[in-house]
Every structure is written in structure tokens, then in C-alpha cells.
Amino acid sequence: MAHLVLSQLSVTVPVGIDSSLRTSSVFKSNNVRFGDKSWASLLSLDLKSRNAQLRNRYVVCMSVQQASRSKVAVKPLELEDAKEPPLNLYKPKEPYTATIVSVERIVGPKAPGETCHIVIDHDGNVPYWEGQSYGVIPPGENPKKPGSPHNVRLYSIASTRYGDSFNGKTTSLCVRRAVYYDPETGKEDPSKNGVCSNFLCNSKPGDKIRITGPSGKIMLLPEDDPNATHIMIATGTGVAPYRGYLRRMFMESIPNYKFGGLAWLFLGVANSDSLLYDDEFTKYLQDYPDHFRYDKALSREQKNKNGGKMYVQDKIEEYSDEIFKLLDGGAHIYFCGLKGMMPGIQETLKRVADQRGENWDQKLSQLKKNKQWHVEVY
């Protein structure tokens, strides 16, 4: 229960109370402000007639954070019951045939390349946990093995176990179309384009898709401590698992998981038009400023302290003292994206450790031992 005082009136409202009760009014004002927060149509009660009898009866007021917005109900809650994550329910030789629900371009016109958000209907038959991956087998024949299907391509899942429709029957992928341009002619060479990414981005609702998995345990969201700190570092589509984490933390109503810690997202992309799920993340920042931080590294729009391009490792260095202190306090740190992101990040962390008089190799070893270090790059 959180405390809040308005003028001379305080009321008691249990945290987690039904949303219909949360919005029932206690004041006539249609726009009561708490700091910089605005509550619309909160309360409608005659203060003069009620103030005296309420003053001595109630001592605390409703939580601003939990009373001012309701979370989305999800189902089936049986998805919370499993003690271990589902693993490899469907293998490459016997994949599951799912159905494309939607394909949406999620970057602006000035973004280099195209990234799509793809929703897949698995009808609840391929359950997964946040941080896992699906395998996708594109149609057609493997050119290196005539007569055989293509190899499986792994994609980090970009939704919670309940999916974007919150009913446990869909999953979402965040896919950048892999396109090859001939360095001499500057023209696209379709024969060398990414087979699976182009199949996914070209898909239409109703198309069938063969999937395997789910796979992966390294990026699972540790939930034993709901007040833990999670530092999430992504480049591009590496933001996929974090979208799942953050929806679980801030969007969905999960009876047995009430997040009260800190989630800190660092996202590195080329420019503003390349930002992925920015509307969602910005909303969390507005709604949960005490529990969410969001830092962007836009390499073509921002400069680092040395005047060069701003990459995600530069943002990490900017906040390095704070990050190291959080890690010393048990924070989890995650890295997801292209393999090329890691050398620069590792060099930055080592340099910061040296400046702090710490041995980075020893520190990294301890973070891994404590299961605080989570890396998935491709």
C-alpha cells in the first residue's frame, strides 16, 4: 500500500483493487495533479460534507502508480504453472505448421533497411517463455543440399508467453529484411538476399510457416526476485526479448509476478526512424518513471564525447559508474543483437574497470558465476 495525501483528505484503497473501483470518484475535480501526473475524472464527492467523517477514519491514500492505470488481463494463467521452460517441443524434422496473422513494417522511411513485426498463430501448441527463440524453416530447397529443406533460422521472440493478443495463442518476431547490394553496381542482388528474413517480411496473413522450438535458456527473465535490476542492451532487432520482458513487467496483469525493481534499456540503432517499439517503451517511461529507464544511441544522429558516432557502448560508458554499482548490487545485464556489438562493449567495460581499479576479467568471471551475465548474439 502506498501513501499519498491530498489537501486534508486521505482515503484507503487496497493496492490491486478492481479497476472499476479504482476509478470511482472521491473528489469533484476532473483534473487532480500529483507532481507532474494528471489524473482524469478521478473523484466526485462533496468534500465539505464528507471531510469531517473521513478525516479520522482513513490514514493512507491510494497508490498513484497502481491506481492510475490498469494492466491488461491475460489468459490462460496456467501458462504460469510450469516450473521449467518448454524446450524443443518441435524439432527440424517434425516442425509445427503455424499461420501468419500479420506482417507490419515498424520503421520509418528514413531507416536504413526494413524491419517487420510478424505475428504468428500457433494456437497455443508451441508455448514459450520470455527470452526464448523460435526456429523458422523457410519454404524451398536448400541449395547446398538438393532435395533437403532449408536449415532452421533462429529468431528471438518479441512477445510474452501470452502473445500480442494476450490469449497464449500467438507469438511475435522482430525481423530485419536481409538484402545484399553488389558493391560494384550498387544494385540489389536477390540471389544473395536472406532467404528466411525475406520470406517472413513478404508473408501475408493466412500464409503457413514451419516453426521449431522453443529454444534457449540463457536469456530467460529471472523472476525469483521481483525487485531485481535488469540492464538490457540491444542493437537493432536484438531488442526483441526485451519487448517481451517489458510487456510482462509493465503491461500485463500477472497475479504471481508484480515487478517492483528497475528495468533499464539501452537501444542502439542508426537513427530515429530506426527505433523499434519506441511508442511502447516511451509509454512505460511515462507510466513507471521509478521502475524504467530508456536510453537510445542513434549512431547517425548523435555524437559521443569524442565527437564520433554514438554507439551503444558509448551510452554504457556514459553511465558506467552507475552500471558497475548496480552490477555489484546483483543486477542482471543482458546483451542481444549482432555479434559485432560485443567487442566494442567488452573493450568499454574493461577500460571502465581499469579506471576504477578493478580487474575486468575477474569481474566478468564473477558475474557469470552469479548468473548475472546474459548474452545472445548472432
Side-chain angles (χ1 to χ4, degrees):
M1 184 135 349
H3 300 268
L4 199 89
V5 178
L6 284 177
S7 303
Q8 299 299 314
L9 174 67
S10 296
V11 293
T12 296
V13 180
V15 170
I17 194 167
D18 180 82
S19 58
S20 63
L21 297 177
R22 275 205 300 267
T23 55
S24 64
S25 295
V26 186
F27 291 86
K28 281 184 174 178
S29 168
N30 283 332
N31 195 14
V32 182
R33 300 188 70 86
F34 301 98
D36 62 348
K37 297 183 186 299
S38 174
W39 285 12
S41 301
L42 235 183
L43 312 158
S44 63
L45 192 79
D46 187 347
L47 275 177
K48 291 181 180 178
S49 62
R50 298 290 291 165
N51 198 33
Q53 70 183 83
L54 289 175
R55 186 181 295 124
N56 296 322
R57 280 177 53 194
Y58 301 113
V59 290
V60 295
C61 202
M62 69 181 71
S63 157
V64 175
Q65 192 172 81
Q66 297 201 32
S68 62
R69 64 196 148 261
S70 57
K71 292 188 176 183
V72 179
V74 293
K75 62 181 182 180
L77 289 176
E78 291 76 41
L79 291 176
E80 301 294 321
D81 294 345
K83 302 301 181 189
E84 292 292 326
L87 284 170
N88 302 313
L89 303 177
Y90 291 89
K91 296 181 170 59
K93 290 187 177 179
E94 294 181 338
Y96 179 81
T97 301
T99 305
I100 297 288
V101 175
S102 61
V103 177
E104 177 190 2
R105 178 187 168 104
I106 55 170
V107 290
K110 295 180 181 177
E114 180 179 28
T115 301
C116 295
H117 181 74
I118 298 158
V119 179
I120 300 166
D121 182 359
H122 60 80
D123 200 30
N125 293 313
V126 197
Y128 56 89
W129 284 8
E130 299 74 23
Q132 289 192 295
S133 299
Y134 267 0
V136 176
I137 304 174
E141 186 177 271
N142 188 335
K144 295 181 181 178
K145 296 179 182 177
S148 299
H150 283 287
N151 293 333
V152 173
R153 271 73 161 183
L154 288 178
Y155 291 92
S156 297
I157 293 172
S159 54
T160 72
R161 65 194 71 182
Y162 299 100
D164 286 12
S165 52
F166 308 106
N167 63 3
K169 293 187 176 182
T170 69
T171 190
S172 300
L173 304 180
C174 180
V175 179
R176 177 166 175 165
R177 187 190 292 273
V179 179
Y180 176 82
Y181 291 94
D182 187 292
E184 293 184 5
T185 65
K187 293 183 179 180
E188 182 182 337
D189 183 351
S191 67
K192 295 182 181 180
N193 286 349
V195 173
C196 198
S197 65
N198 282 273
F199 158 67
L200 287 167
C201 292
N202 290 336
S203 294
K204 301 288 187 292
D207 287 354
K208 298 302 178 183
I209 175 176
R210 293 178 295 168
I211 57 177
T212 66
S215 63
K217 294 177 77 172
I218 189 68
M219 294 291 284
L220 293 176
L221 181 65
E223 297 188 359
D224 51 332
D225 178 7
N227 298 318
T229 294
H230 303 273
I231 303 167
M232 301 165 283
I233 296 158
T235 56
T237 58
V239 77
Y242 309 143
R243 179 180 185 258
Y245 297 172
L246 295 169
R247 285 170 80 92
R248 186 165 173 84
M249 290 170 177
F250 301 128
M251 184 181 289
E252 298 177 343
S253 177
I254 312 293
N256 60 346
Y257 182 61
K258 306 289 187 186
F259 182 67
L262 172 66
W264 191 354
L265 174 62
F266 290 87
L267 176 56
V269 293
N271 57 22
S272 299
D273 271 22
S274 304
L275 288 167
L276 305 172
Y277 311 113
D278 189 60
D279 289 348
E280 283 186 27
F281 302 152
T282 301
K283 184 72 165 62
Y284 303 147
L285 197 61
Q286 293 169 351
D287 290 349
Y288 298 92
D290 296 332
H291 298 280
F292 182 53
R293 293 175 66 172
Y294 179 27
D295 283 281
K296 311 165 198 179
L298 309 177
S299 61
R300 298 187 185 181
E301 292 180 6
Q302 298 172 328
K303 299 292 185 185
N304 62 24
K305 66 179 183 180
N306 298 318
K309 291 184 176 182
M310 175 71 81
Y311 292 110
V312 72
Q313 61 263 32
D314 299 311
K315 277 290 176 186
I316 293 170
E317 185 169 14
E318 196 176 312
Y319 294 101
S320 56
D321 279 345
E322 200 170 351
I323 290 172
F324 270 62
K325 287 174 185 174
L326 290 170
L327 290 174
D328 289 342
H332 291 271
I333 190 164
Y334 309 80
F335 303 89
C336 191
L338 295 173
K339 284 180 184 176
M341 73 186 276
M342 289 309 294
I345 289 172
Q346 291 267 31
E347 288 169 14
T348 296
L349 292 171
K350 185 178 188 309
R351 183 170 65 252
V352 170
D354 290 343
Q355 291 168 355
R356 294 169 60 87
E358 298 184 51
N359 183 305
W360 172 245
D361 291 335
Q362 290 179 3
K363 193 175 191 71
L364 177 58
S365 177
Q366 192 61 46
L367 290 171
K368 290 178 177 178
K369 185 178 178 180
N370 295 344
K371 298 183 178 179
Q372 295 171 250
W373 183 265
H374 312 261
V375 178
E376 185 172 85
V377 292
Y378 38 83

